[in-house]
Structure formats: structure tokens, C-alpha cells
Amino acid sequence: MARVINPEFDGEVRESLPNTIFKVALADGRVVLATPTGRMRKHFVRILPGDRVRVEITPYDIDRGRIVRKY
């Protein structure tokens, strides 16, 4: 089975919401809800408003995504 590669975008965390959900403003102007990947949770990576991050957007819901990297 081929792995689907989801598009990734750079953005900035605007707001921290409950249950490790963040509002992220993407470079193209969209605002999406994103949650950290399991690897980031495992290593206790702190994400705060104002941080620059890379977000992987799911093809099924373009308003949600996963934070895959913190710059």
C-alpha cells in the first residue's frame, strides 16, 4: 500500500486551546486547528503562542492538521 504524502505548510501559533490543540495561522493566510504529533508529545516539546511551526494538513479536512516540527 502506498503512503499518502500530506501537504505541509509553515505557520505561526496564534492561540493555545485545551487538550493540546492550537490555532495556527499559515503563511497563505488560512487559520487551522492543529495538534502535535505523537513523537512531539513523547519528547515533551513545548509549543507556545508565537512559535513558528510546520503543519501537515489532512486531505480529508483542510481545517485541521498535525504539527510536525517546531522551528
Side-chain angles (χ1 to χ4, degrees), residues 5-65:
I5 298 175
N6 296 332
E8 294 183 353
F9 299 93
D10 290 333
E12 183 178 341
V13 176
R14 293 288 182 198
E15 186 179 351
S16 176
L17 301 172
N19 297 330
T20 65
I21 297 177
F22 301 92
K23 278 190 181 179
V24 178
L26 301 180
D28 61 1
R30 291 187 291 165
V31 176
V32 298
L33 294 176
T35 186
T37 60
R39 187 185 328 171
M40 293 183 77
R41 289 181 191 214
K42 177 182 171 185
H43 294 289
F44 300 104
V45 175
R46 299 278 184 217
I47 300 173
L48 300 170
D51 288 344
R52 293 190 58 237
V53 293
R54 173 159 283 198
V55 179
E56 180 181 73
I57 302 294
T58 174
Y60 303 108
D61 186 3
I62 59 172
D63 294 331
R64 289 193 160 268

